[in-house]
Structures are given as structure tokens and as C-alpha cells.
Amino acid sequence: LANCSDPLAYSDAHVHLLDYPKEVLEGVLVRARLAGVRYLVNNATSTQQSEAIHELAQRFKSEAYPKVVKSFGVHPLYLESIKGREGWL
């Protein structure tokens, strides 16, 4: 994010793009880019979402969208799901 040359560019450091229905997601991203958003940090909340987060970032790589930055992790509500799976990341 440090190489962004536009001082008026916006970044959203915590989004959950997987929560949007697939049929509206592209429109959401286009509107964000038109509003000056350059980066979106898209957060996974479970191990099951990690692959989907990665695929979404690959799918929306065009300059028409903000850059989708992947953030993998597990929300505290889902910690039970990784018990005994050390090294899952």
C-alpha cells in the first residue's frame, strides 16, 4: 500500500467481500473504485473461507476495481474449528 501515488486514494482495511451476493459484488467493487478506493483488505473468518478469499482476489485483478488484498485468519468465534490443525495457514 505504501507505493500508492495518489494522496487522496482511500483504503478500507477491513471488509468481508464474501458476505455480498455474487450478483452484486462486481457493482460494489466498481462503485468503490469510482469513489476513489484503491485498496480493500478482504478478511477471511474461517479456514473454509481462505480459498474463496484467494479466488476472489484473483478474479477481480482489473484496474476497474480496487486492489483486493487477502487477509487470512480465524475469527475468535471459530477457534474450535482449528483445534489440532496447527500450521493450517
Side-chain angles (χ1 to χ4, degrees):
L1 303 181
N3 64 355
C4 182
S5 60
D6 183 355
L8 298 178
Y10 295 102
S11 297
D12 190 332
H14 194 111
V15 299
H16 295 277
L17 296 177
L18 294 178
D19 290 347
Y20 287 94
K22 289 181 181 182
E23 59 273 5
V24 302
L25 181 57
E26 183 173 9
V28 168
L29 294 173
V30 168
R31 286 190 302 280
R33 183 69 175 105
L34 291 173
V37 177
R38 295 284 301 272
Y39 300 96
L40 295 169
V41 179
N42 191 23
N43 297 280
T45 59
S46 66
T47 57
Q48 293 81 10
Q49 286 187 345
S50 297
E51 183 64 30
I53 292 281
H54 176 70
E55 289 171 5
L56 193 141
Q58 297 302 310
R59 185 172 139 211
F60 292 105
K61 276 191 154 182
S62 164
E63 289 292 319
Y65 313 115
K67 176 165 178 52
V68 178
V69 180
K70 302 170 279 191
S71 176
F72 302 112
V74 176
H75 190 279
L77 291 174
Y78 304 116
L79 287 178
E80 286 294 316
S81 73
I82 62 166
K83 260 193 178 167
R85 293 179 60 196
E86 290 76 13
W88 69 271
L89 191 55

